[in-house]
Each structure stands twice: as C-alpha cells, then as structure tokens.
Amino acid sequence: MYIQFWGVRGSLPTPLNSEQLKSKINAIVQRLSPSDLEDADTRERFVQRLPEFLVSTVGGNTACVEAVNSSGSEFILDAGSGIRLLGKKLAKSQTKTIHIFFSHFHWDHIQGIPFFDPIYNPSVEIHFYYPGDTIKEHLAAQMQSPFFPVTLDSCTKKMYFHDISKTKTFIIDGTEISWQKMNHPGASYAYSFTEPNCKFIYATDAELRQEDLSISSPNIPFFRGADVLVLDAQYTVEEAFEKENWGHSSFNRTVEFAVNRDVKNLYLFHHDPTYSDKKIDSILSSAKWYLDYIGKTSKMNVYIASEGKTIEI
C-alpha cells in the first residue's frame, strides 16, 4: 500500500508567511562559518547538517491523505485544502474511479471539494463514504450561493454517496475497510484499511481520554498491530489541559495510545495552525523522549506527518 500526505494541518490552512521564512533564513545564516563556504562540497555538507525544520516545512494545507492499495485503487481520507493538489495529480493520471472517506464534516475536512478537479470530469466516478446519510447534503451546502459560484449538481453525475453506518466492515477492490467512532464534538470516525500483511489506520480529530489509553479499552482490536497509524496529536500537554473537550489530543497521549496497541509506525497529525515548524519539530522530539520513557521495550517509530511525505507498507 502506498500512502501520501497532501494536507496535515488542523482547523484552517496555514501557509508559511514571510516572517517565518525570514526566521528560517536568519537561523541558517547564524550557523554559517567561513569553512562552510569554501566550495560546493562544504556548502552541501552544511545544508545536510541543518535541522529538518529549517530546510523544510510540514505544510499548511488541511487534512487530506491518499492511500493506494495493491490493486491500484485510489482511496482519499478527508478533503481539506490538500485535496486540491492531489486532484491535479489524479487529473493528469486520468484516474477514473476515486473513493473518498470523511472522518466528519467540519469545514477543514471538506473545504477542498470545490477545488478538486476530478469532480468536474464527467467520465470520473467518485464514491463518498461516511457512517451517516448526510454526505451529499453537507457537501452541497458549502457550494451553494453565495459561498461558491458552482453547485454540486453541476459536477459529474457519477457521484455515489454511501452510508456505511450499518456496515462496520466491507471490502473494496480486495482491501478490507472498517470504521471506529472517536471522541470529537459532533463525532469523528477513524478508518482502517487492511490487506494481507498490511494495516493502515487514519484517525484524525480524536480526543483521547484516560480510559482510551487502557489496555482493556474496547477499541484495542481495531487499532492493534497497525503498520501505520496516522493519529491526532494537535496539542502540547499544556494546551490539551487548557482545551479539554475541544476534540483533539496531546502528543503524549497519542504515543501512549499507540504503544498500548502495538503500533509499528505512528505519524503525529492534524498540527495546530498556530504552531511553527520549529515547534512541531520540538513536539516530535518530546514524543520520542516520551516513547523511550514509557515504552522501553517498544519497537514503535514515531514521525511527524508532513505534506509530500510518502510511505510504502
């Protein structure tokens, strides 16, 4: 299975601004010494030694993750602003069938739909999935006047809306898919995609509580042994206390949750729009420290989800 991140922020798009870019440049310049500028090789070695947060960015688009199964079937998890660029890629590849799953309908998870090129292609077949029968209603609402000049009814007629509330597990093109309700205002749903020797779970917008961390929690079977788990880790520990019941988790609870479920690779996701690349990098460092502190026998890896990053499992 192939996975790519197209949008990893929460709440609203957060493009890198000029002040943040200048801050990165200043930090790089301060690290320079005359010996780093002697020739092309020394300059390259200098760049290679720089911290990741200075030479890249996690990105500013809201939630959108692509997964392609072993049969080449296209699955999309959420349709935040990141889906716009994914749509450009799919249009070039002339993909004819697309399956889109919604965790929920908060705006940062659907706002990219009007800018997703394939929905305007009459030859493309798009299937939408959610545990409820309100998919079309919610997507159409954000494209009504005066919010958008083109209505959903003007898009491809090959749109199909699937209420999976009564089907906890089903199969699409050889991939077993199941869902799990998470704790979030208005509800949010995690999705598991399983193939032989491969299990991928997408679980954004989830506020993990103490009872969720227990090894006796009823959600253990759903998450257990995931090869890749993309999980909400929007807050620091302090902010999680300040924003209780806002529907998001702190990195430490996310790490503990994953360790207790024997997850192999954890990707921290749904980054707060106020966090800089440097702060998100510090959260990753803290998460790795916490993993070592609580799970000395765990072989789990922990990463930051960032735009453009790809995974193969």
Side-chain angles (χ1 to χ4, degrees):
M1 185 175 290
Y2 168 88
I3 300 161
Q4 182 168 351
F5 294 103
W6 293 88
V8 298
R9 289 279 180 174
S11 304
L12 76 166
T14 313
L16 190 69
N17 62 40
S18 59
E19 286 302 314
Q20 291 169 327
L21 183 57
K22 288 177 184 177
S23 177
K24 286 176 180 279
I25 293 172
N26 285 333
I28 291 171
V29 169
Q30 290 172 9
R31 287 169 164 79
L32 274 170
S33 67
S35 61
D36 294 320
L37 302 174
E38 290 177 355
D39 54 41
D41 288 340
T42 59
R43 290 193 292 271
E44 179 61 25
R45 286 196 295 270
F46 169 74
V47 171
Q48 292 299 323
R49 293 196 305 269
L50 288 170
E52 187 72 15
F53 70 86
L54 288 179
V55 295
S56 65
T57 179
V58 301
N61 281 302
T62 53
C64 180
V65 179
E66 175 189 23
V68 182
N69 73 2
S70 57
S71 300
S73 299
E74 183 75 25
F75 302 122
I76 300 175
L77 293 311
D78 277 332
S81 61
I83 203 173
R84 184 185 70 86
L85 284 177
L86 172 54
K88 301 293 184 186
K89 185 193 87 166
L90 295 179
K92 289 181 180 178
S93 67
Q94 299 184 337
T95 300
K96 295 302 182 184
T97 304
I98 300 169
H99 304 276
I100 301 179
F101 295 77
F102 293 104
S103 61
H104 62 313
F105 295 103
H106 284 173
W107 196 29
D108 53 323
H109 294 260
I110 66 170
Q111 63 191 168
I113 284 291
F115 305 95
F116 183 54
D117 288 355
I119 71 168
Y120 301 104
N121 185 338
S123 66
V124 174
E125 185 176 296
I126 303 180
H127 295 263
F128 298 99
Y129 303 84
Y130 178 76
D133 61 0
T134 56
I135 307 172
K136 185 175 182 179
E137 173 187 342
H138 293 319
L139 297 185
Q142 71 166 342
M143 295 179 70
Q144 291 176 351
S145 179
F147 308 114
F148 201 72
V150 180
T151 65
L152 190 66
D153 289 337
S154 302
C155 300
T156 176
K157 303 306 179 186
K158 296 181 180 179
M159 288 190 293
Y160 304 93
F161 304 90
H162 303 276
D163 175 2
I164 56 174
S165 59
K166 297 179 181 178
T167 310
K168 197 67 183 287
T169 300
F170 52 99
I171 294 175
I172 298 177
D173 297 339
T175 298
E176 182 180 280
I177 302 167
S178 57
W179 55 266
Q180 173 73 43
K181 188 175 182 180
M182 307 300 290
N183 179 42
H184 188 73
S188 179
Y189 295 88
Y191 293 97
S192 171
F193 298 80
T194 304
E195 296 185 311
N197 304 314
C198 172
K199 184 176 183 179
F200 163 56
I201 297 177
Y202 173 79
T204 187
D205 291 64
E207 183 169 358
L208 300 174
R209 294 175 172 170
Q210 193 60 43
E211 56 267 28
D212 296 314
L213 307 181
S214 168
I215 59 174
S216 61
S217 171
N219 61 37
I220 288 278
F222 180 86
F223 289 94
R224 181 184 286 124
D227 294 285
V228 171
L229 170 59
V230 175
L231 183 57
D232 188 311
Q234 181 161 341
Y235 297 141
T236 61
V237 177
E238 294 80 7
E239 283 209 329
F241 280 112
E242 294 170 1
K243 298 178 178 180
E244 187 177 3
N245 296 323
W246 283 38
H248 301 287
S249 298
S250 58
F251 70 84
N252 60 312
R253 286 198 166 179
T254 295
V255 168
E256 188 170 347
F257 180 90
V259 166
N260 288 344
R261 283 146 186 80
D262 299 320
V263 169
K264 297 179 178 66
N265 297 283
L266 170 66
Y267 285 80
L268 308 182
F269 187 73
H270 207 265
H271 311 307
D272 195 272
T274 66
Y275 289 0
S276 66
D277 289 318
K278 184 176 182 180
K279 183 163 184 176
I280 294 172
D281 183 74
S282 72
I283 288 175
L284 176 60
S285 297
S286 298
K288 289 181 175 179
W289 173 87
Y290 190 70
L291 172 62
D292 184 62
Y293 176 72
I294 67 163
K296 295 187 182 299
T297 61
S298 173
K299 296 181 180 180
M300 186 178 80
N301 301 304
V302 58
Y303 306 97
I304 286 292
S306 60
E307 280 183 39
K309 181 173 288 186
T310 61
I311 309 165
E312 290 194 21
I313 53 175

